[in-house]
Amino acid sequence: MSGAPAASLPLVFGDHPDQVTDLYLPDGTEPGLPLLLFFHGGFWRAEHDRGHVTGFVRDLAAETGCAVAGVEYRRVGGAGGWPVMLTDTARAAAGRIDPERVVYVGHSAGGHLALWAALRHRLPEGAPGRTATPPTVLALAPTADLTWADELDSGRGGAPMGFVKGIGLRFGEWQGSMA
C-alpha cells in the first residue's frame, strides 16, 4: 500500500462544467505511473455524479500505487447523451498521457463507456477519439447490451433510451447503424 492521497487535483478537459476529473496520486509518487481512468455509473443520468465514487477512487490510488482519475462526463439531463458522453470518454485523457499506460475502468454505465473506449481503434480515420490501438479496459458490471437493459427497464425509466435518444432511432434500428 502506497498511502492515502491527501487531496485530488482537478483536471479540466473541456468547456462544460462536467468535463473534469479528480486526479489522485498515491504518496511517494514517482514519474511514469500508470493511470486508471475511472468512469462512474448511474444510468448515464445527471443526478448521479462522480461524488458517489470519490472514496473508492481515492482508496484505489492508495492501494494500487497508480494515479487514479475519477472522470466526470456530460450525462443525460445535463447536456449529455449520444454522442457527447463518448466524446468526453475519449477527451478525458487525450494528448495528456501515455496511452500505453492507461487503463479505462468503469462500473455499470461507466463500464459501458469503458467498453466503448476499447473499440475506439475501430472508429473511422479522423473521427474524434479514434486511437491506433485498443486501450486496456476493466468493465465492472457494465451495461453492455443496451437493448436488453432497455427491455429490463434498467435504471427505472428508460435509462438506456435516454443515452441513445440523440441518434434519433429506436433500439431495433440503431444497432445496425453502429456497425
Side-chain angles (χ1 to χ4, degrees):
M1 182 161 127
S2 298
S8 69
L9 304 168
L11 301 174
V12 175
F13 61 89
D15 294 332
H16 193 276
D18 286 337
Q19 292 176 303
V20 64
T21 68
D22 296 322
L23 178 66
Y24 291 90
L25 300 171
D27 288 344
T29 298
E30 297 183 21
L33 286 177
L35 173 64
L36 306 179
L37 289 173
F38 189 88
F39 293 85
H40 66 84
F43 308 111
W44 306 279
R45 292 186 173 143
E47 63 263 26
H48 304 289
D49 64 16
R50 71 190 187 284
H52 75 273
V53 296
T54 298
F56 174 76
V57 170
R58 182 184 56 244
D59 292 348
L60 189 59
E63 293 291 328
T64 64
C66 295
V68 181
V71 180
E72 192 58 88
Y73 50 89
R74 292 174 286 177
R75 297 166 314 284
V76 174
W82 176 273
V84 297
M85 277 190 263
L86 302 179
T87 305
D88 286 355
T89 301
R91 291 185 68 198
R96 298 185 176 132
I97 44 105
D98 178 357
E100 299 296 319
R101 303 209 20 115
V102 175
V103 178
Y104 285 76
V105 181
H107 173 258
S108 190
H112 168 258
L113 298 177
L115 289 173
W116 177 82
L119 298 174
R120 290 171 37 206
H121 66 290
R122 293 176 146 186
L123 292 172
E125 198 70 42
R130 188 185 189 288
T131 58
T133 58
T136 302
V137 169
L138 174 59
L140 307 166
T143 306
D145 184 331
L146 298 180
T147 301
W148 190 40
D150 189 58
E151 289 169 3
L152 294 173
D153 197 26
S154 181
R156 295 166 300 284
M161 198 60 196
F163 170 73
V164 299
K165 72 178 179 181
I167 301 173
L169 303 172
R170 291 187 311 259
F171 269 111
E173 298 168 330
W174 77 271
Q175 290 173 322
S177 72
M178 298 297 291

